[in-house]
Amino acid sequence: MMKNLTLSLLAAVCFVSSLSAKQVLAFAGSVREDSCNEKLVRLAAKIDNDIELISLKDYPAPIYDGDLEAQSGLPVAIEALQKKILDSDVVVISTPEYNGAVPPLLKNTIDWLSRGKIGQKVFKDRKFILLSASPGRGGGSRAVANLRSILEALNANVSLKTFSLPNAYSAFNADGNLKEPSQHQKLVEALR
Ligand SMILES: Cc1cc2nc3c(=O)[nH]c(=O)nc-3n(C[C@H](O)[C@H](O)[C@H](O)COP(=O)(O)O)c2cc1C
């Protein structure tokens, strides 16, 4: 009886400490000043204090070109981002939708990330949570589907729960929260 209780307590402590040890990284697929996807990941970081927010502005890379890679290898910023992702258990990405797909900035970053010695490892063994925001009615959900297929091609573990924010230009309060409580709840669910 006592032994069972001790084992249960131990399991509970391990569970809690494994949750608190989770490293969560989040970024938007846009570096635009007033980006609604940036606003969405900022809100995600407000909901979950453990989320580390980064910007692709700090990880610039030229358009992928095999000759460039053969000459100079991976851009230094991409190698730094590879390491950052490798140190994470969960990666949250909020993608804009450009003509029904992910924008070139995000696709180019993923293409570079998938290269080099650790390129394949970057996408394995961690969970990806996908969000999107757009001024349109679909909220960028086609870009989320496109991003899922790109990441799954890289053997990533992509969460089935996603969140797409429609009418995103008018969806946020001045304090960065969502005006609509039901939308806020859906975001919380996707991050859970
Ligand atoms: C080239 C281009 C294509 C776009 N295509 C779509 C689209 O297919 N669906 C959509 O909802 N919005 C589309 N938009 C509007 C974007 O959702 C909008 O610019 C949004 O603000 C981009 O995200 P951001 O605010 O995070 O930069 C497009 C914008 C551009 C520049």
Side-chain angles (χ1 to χ4, degrees):
M1 168 82 174
M2 196 60 193
K3 194 177 162 198
N4 281 349
L5 189 67
T6 312
L7 282 176
S8 310
L9 274 173
L10 197 63
V13 168
C14 286
F15 178 67
V16 170
S17 61
S18 75
L19 274 185
S20 62
K22 287 249 184 294
Q23 298 287 321
V24 189
L25 195 67
F27 61 88
S30 169
V31 293
R32 206 170 62 81
E33 185 88 27
D34 199 31
S35 161
C36 49
N37 285 280
E38 178 66 28
K39 286 180 189 169
L40 197 57
V41 281
R42 266 194 223 143
L43 177 56
K46 225 156 100 173
I47 291 169
D48 182 345
N49 287 328
D50 290 333
I51 293 181
E52 183 190 353
L53 206 53
I54 59 166
S55 168
L56 292 186
K57 222 177 225 173
D58 298 323
Y59 299 92
I63 293 287
Y64 179 82
D65 170 346
D67 291 342
L68 191 62
E69 185 189 8
Q71 264 167 22
S72 331
L74 267 55
V76 175
I78 291 294
E79 285 183 336
L81 187 53
Q82 282 182 326
K83 290 195 186 101
K84 197 123 194 100
I85 295 177
L86 273 187
D87 285 343
S88 311
D89 303 295
V90 181
V91 181
V92 180
I93 305 176
S94 188
T95 179
E97 180 171 290
Y98 280 11
N99 298 318
V102 297
L105 169 69
L106 184 54
K107 180 64 165 64
N108 188 54
T109 303
I110 293 172
D111 288 343
W112 273 116
L113 285 171
S114 70
R115 305 294 297 170
K117 268 186 253 154
I118 57 171
Q120 294 302 307
K121 273 199 207 158
V122 168
F123 297 94
K124 279 190 197 158
D125 304 327
R126 58 198 39 79
K127 189 122 191 166
F128 286 80
I129 296 177
L130 309 187
L131 313 174
S132 67
S134 111
R137 273 190 297 177
S141 56
R142 292 178 302 173
V144 164
N146 179 225
L147 182 53
R148 175 185 295 283
S149 97
I150 293 165
L151 293 174
E152 285 180 349
L154 291 162
N155 297 311
N157 175 2
V158 184
S159 173
L160 288 175
K161 284 189 196 168
T162 61
F163 174 66
S164 294
L165 178 67
N167 308 315
Y169 288 173
S170 56
F172 292 92
N173 284 321
D175 63 5
N177 288 312
L178 289 170
K179 290 179 189 165
E180 190 55 61
S182 63
Q183 297 287 25
H184 182 93
Q185 197 45 43
K186 282 182 198 164
L187 174 61
V188 171
E189 284 297 323
L191 295 171
R192 191 165 283 166

